[in-house]
Amino acid sequence: MKRRTTIAVMMVLAGFSVIIGRLFVLQVLDFPVYETLSKHEREREARIQGARGVILSADGHPLADNRSVMSLAADPNQIRHFESPTLLSAQLAPVLGMSSSTIRKKFFARRRFVWIKHEISAADRKRIGTKIRGLYFLPEKKRSYPYKSVFRPVVGWVHPDGTPISGIEKKYDEYLKGKTGTVVREVSARGRSYFQTESGSPDTLSGNTVQTTLIASLQEYTQDALDEEIRAVDAIGGIVLVMDPRTGAVLSLASRVSGRWGGISPGVSLVYEPGSIFKLVTASAALNEHRVSGRDTFYCFKGAMPIPGGVLHDAEPYDTLTLGEILAHSSNIGIAQVASRLGPEVFARYIRKFGFGQKTNIDFPGESGGIFRGTRHWSRRSLYTIAMGQEVGVTPIQLITAVSAIANGGTLMRPYFVRRVTAPDGRVLYEHRPEKVRRVISKETSRTLLSLLTGVVSPEGTGASAAITGFNVAGKTGTAEVYDPEKHAYSRTRTVDSFVGILPVDNPSLVVLVVVIQPKGISWGGTVAAPLFRKVAEMALVQFRIPASKPRMEGDVVRADFGMIP
């Protein structure tokens, strides 16, 4: 009996030993395996992109921000196991505004997580509900633009899938895009979500902050003023640029352009013939090379001068003009004679030095280099026509950058839109330092030309409408006839009217370029663009609290103080 008892006890102990051994294997040795299997059954992992960095104006206003939204995701395996993909797709299609075939295709994906639709409204979330096994909602960050389309030409925009399309959004994407993290949702045996953990969130994984040089209130005002002028003159479109000539910082860029003149950001991509504004380049080169002086006079042939291949005309017949009067009255014949003193090679060298025919390398995508042909491609009349702004294609950013060189004492600066980039913890990752490209003209040449250009906005000048009470303004009008490739001739009724102004002349701190494209009827830069310049410039003067100029006596020469300008 005792023997049988001993055997029985030993057998029981052996059984317990087997069970304990098996439990040890399951719970200790094989624990990682079963933990992995368990997680696979109850956890759904989704890759998420952190919130995109904010884009700010120079004065701290958000130009591109983010807002929280809920998006619909699915576990295709759960959907196929618990639901009918075909039936569910048909039910969701009208709610989501998607085709049932698109949704059904997502349900048959060979993975455990797919996005069905980004940004679901509260009403649609309520209609879908939370009881469909394998469907669940996740928080996301959606890009928003507080100023709507006002900053679109510069800030650009982002596709709903997060891909940057244009502007600063595209150029600075590496800084702006958020880091990648994961969201893990735990589900019940019936496939319903009940718990969520994260290795990051759209907020904690957010990108860096990009601060621009743009002034929010100035940009708003400029865009409104431009739109008003386009409507008033029934133009195809227009562009207004404001720059700090001392640094190359773009303070405002407003545009409203359509048709063949349009583009994502015409301020840096639109190529057009500048017309008489280009006379600034001709005069600068001649003064800097000492081929002309402010005292020289030029006979203007009573408004019609023979040149190779035709006759060059002025809007009014003039007899003899000084260089200042040539600029004030925008004489084509006068500036052609100035160019003839330079010669093709010297003139072409200065055009290149001012940055035409090449990109400015502004921190912005899609910039055009414009059009400028070397002298070997010039005809016998090219020297005269280029001097007055024909046979050369410029972009607005090229033109205002070149004029800024005249304004700041002769140094071409690289233009820029972004001032600094900061990390979420406040560290400065990038800060723009004003960058000199090269010296184009001397300071003395700059002062002389600025003095001459004040005559353009005098009562006798073509830009009289640009005059601002209390401030000395230097400027130049431009009226470029649009070339018709079908007729191989310039149109007399379709023009690009422009005005560029520098102020205040005694301490140049602002350059404003206005371009109005094809206003209806007969128009001039002085009648269409100059008044718009005055509106924008007056706002900018108030914005930057620039003091009024000292009164000038008749005959005084402007002595510009370039101060901190390079």
Side-chain angles (χ1 to χ4, degrees):
M1 183 70 180
K2 186 176 180 180
R3 178 182 175 82
R4 286 199 299 268
T5 302
T6 301
I7 293 173
V9 170
M10 291 179 67
M11 291 178 65
V12 170
L13 291 174
F16 274 115
S17 297
V18 171
I19 294 171
I20 292 171
R22 182 57 177 162
L23 288 174
F24 179 79
V25 170
L26 292 174
Q27 297 187 11
V28 179
L29 299 181
D30 291 345
F31 174 77
V33 176
Y34 289 101
E35 182 183 41
T36 301
L37 291 173
S38 174
K39 283 186 177 181
H40 182 71
E41 288 299 319
R42 63 185 173 84
E43 292 184 350
R44 304 292 178 265
E45 183 177 285
R47 304 287 287 178
I48 61 167
Q49 191 70 28
R52 197 166 176 80
V54 177
I55 299 176
L56 299 175
S57 66
D59 43 350
H61 297 280
L63 309 181
D65 208 342
N66 304 292
R67 56 189 176 86
S68 298
V69 299
M70 295 299 289
S71 298
L72 184 63
D75 177 353
N77 188 56
Q78 293 282 342
I79 294 292
R80 292 193 299 270
H81 183 74
F82 292 107
E83 306 288 342
S84 166
T86 301
L87 179 59
L88 184 58
S89 299
Q91 292 171 336
L92 289 174
V95 178
L96 300 178
M98 300 170 62
S99 68
S100 58
S101 61
T102 299
I103 301 173
R104 185 175 181 277
K105 186 177 180 180
K106 291 175 181 286
F107 287 160
F108 279 95
R110 294 299 174 185
R111 54 184 184 273
R112 300 303 299 268
F113 176 87
V114 293
W115 288 108
I116 302 300
K117 185 178 181 181
H118 299 279
E119 191 176 2
I120 305 293
S121 68
D124 288 343
R125 292 203 306 271
K126 188 175 181 180
R127 292 173 66 186
I128 295 170
T130 59
K131 296 183 178 180
I132 300 174
R133 290 167 289 190
L135 277 186
Y136 45 89
F137 297 99
L138 283 176
E140 279 195 301
K141 290 291 185 178
K142 178 79 172 180
R143 204 61 163 163
S144 65
Y145 299 95
Y147 288 88
K148 307 297 183 186
S149 64
V150 173
F151 285 90
R152 177 63 64 83
V154 183
V155 172
W157 62 290
V158 174
H159 193 271
D161 67 3
T163 304
I165 303 299
S166 63
I168 292 171
E169 291 275 29
K170 183 175 182 178
K171 180 67 177 180
Y172 285 86
D173 183 51
E174 285 301 314
Y175 284 113
L176 288 166
K177 67 182 180 183
K179 303 176 186 67
T180 302
T182 58
V183 171
V184 179
R185 298 185 70 90
E186 296 196 13
V187 298
S188 68
R190 298 180 63 83
R192 292 175 183 160
S193 173
Y194 64 85
F195 188 75
Q196 175 175 314
T197 60
E198 302 172 348
S199 68
S201 71
D203 291 316
T204 59
L205 299 170
S206 63
N208 305 297
T209 297
V210 171
Q211 185 174 33
T212 69
T213 58
L214 302 168
I215 307 299
S217 56
L218 179 62
Q219 176 82 8
E220 279 193 295
Y221 180 85
T222 301
Q223 187 66 60
D224 288 343
L226 174 62
D227 289 342
E228 183 180 340
E229 182 70 10
I230 290 172
R231 289 192 296 269
V233 299
D234 197 14
I236 287 178
I239 299 166
V240 179
L241 264 165
V242 183
M243 178 176 281
D244 182 343
R246 299 165 294 188
T247 63
V250 179
L251 307 175
S252 175
L253 168 52
S255 65
R256 188 77 70 199
V257 185
S258 59
R260 73 179 183 90
W261 297 91
I264 293 177
S265 187
V268 301
S269 61
L270 174 66
V271 178
Y272 67 104
E273 289 190 343
S276 293
I277 284 183
F278 207 74
K279 291 170 183 173
L280 294 178
V281 177
T282 312
S284 296
L287 284 168
N288 205 60
E289 290 293 312
H290 305 290
R291 306 294 173 87
V292 300
S293 72
R295 297 181 299 275
D296 292 350
T297 58
F298 300 83
Y299 179 59
C300 293
F301 294 85
K302 306 289 186 180
M305 183 181 82
I307 62 171
V311 177
L312 194 61
H313 295 278
D314 273 338
E316 301 287 342
Y318 299 111
D319 189 3
T320 301
L321 297 176
T322 64
L323 179 59
E325 291 169 336
I326 288 171
L327 295 172
H329 299 301
S330 202
S331 168
N332 295 331
I333 295 172
I335 205 68
Q337 293 186 74
V338 172
S340 67
R341 292 193 182 184
L342 281 170
E345 297 301 330
V346 175
F347 188 28
R349 175 161 53 85
Y350 272 89
I351 292 172
R352 294 283 188 192
K353 284 177 70 176
F354 270 107
F356 297 105
Q358 56 200 288
K359 294 180 180 180
T360 65
N361 291 323
I362 190 170
D363 53 344
F364 200 84
E367 182 187 9
S368 170
I371 301 170
F372 177 63
R373 301 174 302 162
T375 53
R376 66 181 182 277
H377 299 293
W378 289 16
S379 67
R380 290 186 301 158
R381 59 180 291 152
S382 292
L383 177 65
Y384 309 109
T385 54
I386 292 175
M388 55 187 246
Q390 294 181 353
E391 290 191 50
V392 59
V394 308
T395 65
I397 194 65
Q398 281 179 335
L399 190 56
I400 196 171
T401 302
V403 175
S404 290
I406 295 171
N408 70 23
T411 301
L412 191 72
M413 305 296 291
R414 183 170 77 86
Y416 64 102
F417 280 116
V418 170
R419 177 171 294 172
R420 69 172 60 88
V421 179
T422 54
D425 60 7
R427 287 179 298 113
V428 177
L429 304 177
Y430 163 80
E431 188 157 17
H432 181 87
R433 306 287 184 187
E435 182 181 333
K436 302 176 187 179
V437 178
R438 58 183 162 268
R439 176 162 287 282
V440 183
I441 56 176
S442 69
K443 288 186 177 182
E444 191 55 41
T445 297
S446 176
R447 288 191 178 98
T448 301
L449 190 58
L450 288 173
S451 185
L452 296 176
L453 291 175
T454 58
V456 175
V457 295
S458 69
E460 297 78 26
T462 57
S465 298
I468 300 175
T469 303
F471 291 88
N472 296 327
V473 179
K476 185 68 192 79
T477 55
T479 306
E481 296 174 338
V482 176
Y483 185 76
D484 189 336
E486 294 182 0
K487 296 181 179 179
H488 301 287
Y490 285 91
S491 169
R492 294 186 178 274
T493 58
R494 293 186 297 162
T495 59
V496 176
D497 301 334
S498 53
F499 184 88
V500 65
I502 301 165
L503 70 161
V505 174
D506 42 0
N507 184 21
S509 51
L510 291 172
V511 177
V512 181
L513 171 66
V514 174
V515 181
V516 181
I517 301 170
Q518 290 186 209
K520 216 166 217 183
I522 303 299
S523 60
W524 308 92
T527 59
V528 172
L532 178 54
F533 159 84
R534 187 182 66 247
K535 288 181 183 178
V536 174
E538 286 174 340
M539 172 63 179
L541 290 168
V542 172
Q543 174 72 48
F544 296 106
R545 300 179 182 179
I546 296 174
S549 303
K550 293 178 181 179
R552 291 175 57 207
M553 302 298 292
E554 187 174 349
D556 282 354
V557 175
V558 172
R559 302 300 298 176
D561 179 11
F562 299 122
M564 297 298 291
I565 300 174

